[in-house]
């Protein structure tokens, strides 16, 4: 299985060469022409991203579940406090929280690293190996945009004269001759928009601090020290991509997969009809993964904009960022209220998947005091893009 995944990138490269001729087109252009074409591709992707006509009932766009004004998350309650998204049919309710797509351009393709760890890919279980494949999936998902097939999507594209001319200009006059190729081109355009600097600005207070343009407050400075310290917290074990804390373009995720012992979101399971008997196996549900040691593992998310992208975790079970920190802290504290979820007043709940919990990481820290938790939260707020700082409490 690992060998199969190590060959995945090579197979994908061949597949993309066969079905996405625009890649070869761009490779032959001069640098200036390439830049112009890329800008046009990003602009086309932006238009597609916000177009509700590309869903079955013409009611939902990519931006419906990834709202630009709120750091690209789903801000709708959907009767489950935002834990999961409602489909275009206004009835189908998912089972996982819609992650922000900000900084998604930084996620590597799904692969196995040299240490045997599964890394990267889109969605919580990595089942889409790259942004292009992720951009294809919602359109044909019956619980999302609900289109029946690629040909139907392409017919909707061709209703728009601007799309028709743009696709031909970017991909060739015969782009619509094959619905699958045109459908892949649509996904390529959306992925280009998602890879644009607009979605990955790296302009938070943390970034400005690294550039000497922001002076952290004492709580922020303490939180930063705690976050990156291997002696006080285990945050950076999973939420650090680069070797040095001072590295520019840090995304605060290693993009590996972990089981942290999250309980079932019973409210969500009741609302979407799956019920408590259903188990979300996470990475083990990936079509190329059959190792039982991956059961219950989910991809480590970026912490960029984390302070303004509630609810939290793959099942949207926590509404407050402090609750998230307290959940981690419960593994290193005993007695008092440490084993009580402050949002429910009850015990944290049993893990949905009790096997494979990363205890060696979760318990490799010291218990945090209230002042230290406040400091960590102050630092996490520093990771908010400048355009979303007004959303901070």
């Amino acid at each position: 299985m690992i060998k199969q995944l190590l060959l995945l990138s090579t197979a994908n490269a061949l597949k993309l060469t066969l079905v996405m001729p625009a890649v070869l087109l761009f490779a032959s252009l001069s640098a200036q022409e390439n830049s112009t074409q890329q800008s046009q591709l990003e602009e086309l992707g932006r238009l597609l991203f916000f177009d509700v006509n590309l869903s079955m009932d013409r009611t939902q766009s990519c931006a419906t579940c990834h709202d630009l004004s709120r750091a690209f998350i789903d801000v709708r309650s959907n009767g489950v406090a935002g834990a999961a998204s409602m489909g275009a049919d206004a009835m189908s309710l998912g089972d996982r929280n819609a992650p922000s797509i900000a900084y998604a351009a930084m996620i590597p393709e799904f692969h196995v690293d040299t240490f045997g760890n599964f890394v990267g890919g889109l969605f919580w279980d990595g089942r889409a190996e790259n942004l292009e494949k992720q951009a294809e999936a919602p359109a044909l998902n019956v619980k999302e945009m609900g289109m029946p097939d690629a040909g139907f999507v392409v017919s909707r594209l061709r209703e728009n004269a601007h799309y028709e001319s743009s696709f031909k200009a970017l991909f060739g006059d015969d782009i619509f001759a094959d619905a699958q190729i045109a459908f892949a081109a649509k996904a390529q355009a959306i992925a280009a928009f998602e890879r644009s600097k607009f979605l990955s600005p790296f302009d938070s207070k943390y970034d400005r601090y690294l550039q000497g343009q922001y002076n952290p407050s004492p709580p922020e400075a303490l939180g930063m020290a705690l976050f990156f310290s291997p002696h006080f917290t285990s945050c950076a074990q999973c939420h650090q991509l680069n070797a040095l804390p001072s590295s520019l373009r840090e995304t605060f995720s290693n993009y590996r997969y972990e089981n942290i012992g999250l309980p079932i979101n019973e409210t969500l399971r009741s609302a979407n009809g799956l019920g408590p008997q259903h188990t979300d196996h996470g990475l083990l549900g990936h079509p190329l993964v059959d190792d039982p040691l991956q059961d219950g593992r989910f991809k480590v998310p970026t912490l960029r904009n984390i302070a303004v992208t509630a609810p939290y975790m793959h099942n949207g079970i926590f509404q407050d960022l402090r609750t998230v920190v307290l959940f981690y802290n419960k593994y290193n504290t005993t007695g008092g209220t440490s084993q009580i979820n402050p949002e429910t007043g009850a015990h944290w709940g049993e893990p949905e998947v009790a096997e494979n919990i990363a205890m060696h990481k979760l318990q490799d820290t010291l218990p945090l005091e209230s002042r230290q938790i406040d400091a960590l939260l102050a630092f996490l707020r520093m990771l908010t893009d400048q355009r979303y700082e007004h959303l901070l409490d």
Side-chain angles (χ1 to χ4, degrees), residues 110-187:
F110 189 71
H111 68 284
V112 175
D113 67 15
T114 55
F115 301 101
N117 299 301
F118 292 91
V119 183
L122 280 296
F123 299 113
W124 285 102
D125 56 11
R127 66 187 184 276
E129 61 262 37
N130 54 38
L131 277 175
E132 283 78 10
K133 286 302 177 185
Q134 186 280 326
E136 289 183 0
L140 305 183
N141 189 325
V142 67
K143 289 189 175 183
E144 296 187 57
M145 301 174 88
M147 300 291 258
D149 53 47
F152 204 90
V153 175
V154 172
S155 69
R156 288 285 181 89
L157 290 174
R158 301 196 72 178
E159 293 176 359
N160 186 311
H162 178 69
Y163 289 163
E164 177 124 10
S165 61
S166 295
F167 270 76
K168 289 180 178 179
L170 286 165
F171 300 101
D173 288 339
D174 61 348
I175 183 60
F176 293 111
D178 186 309
Q180 291 296 332
I181 291 178
F183 182 69
K186 167 186 172 283

Side-chain angles (χ1 to χ4, degrees), residues 253-275:
S253 173
N254 60 12
Y255 301 114
R256 294 179 181 176
Y257 292 78
E258 301 289 354
N259 179 359
I260 60 171
L262 277 177
I264 292 171
N265 185 336
E266 295 180 2
T267 300
L268 176 58
R269 287 285 167 79
S270 175
N272 64 20
L274 291 176

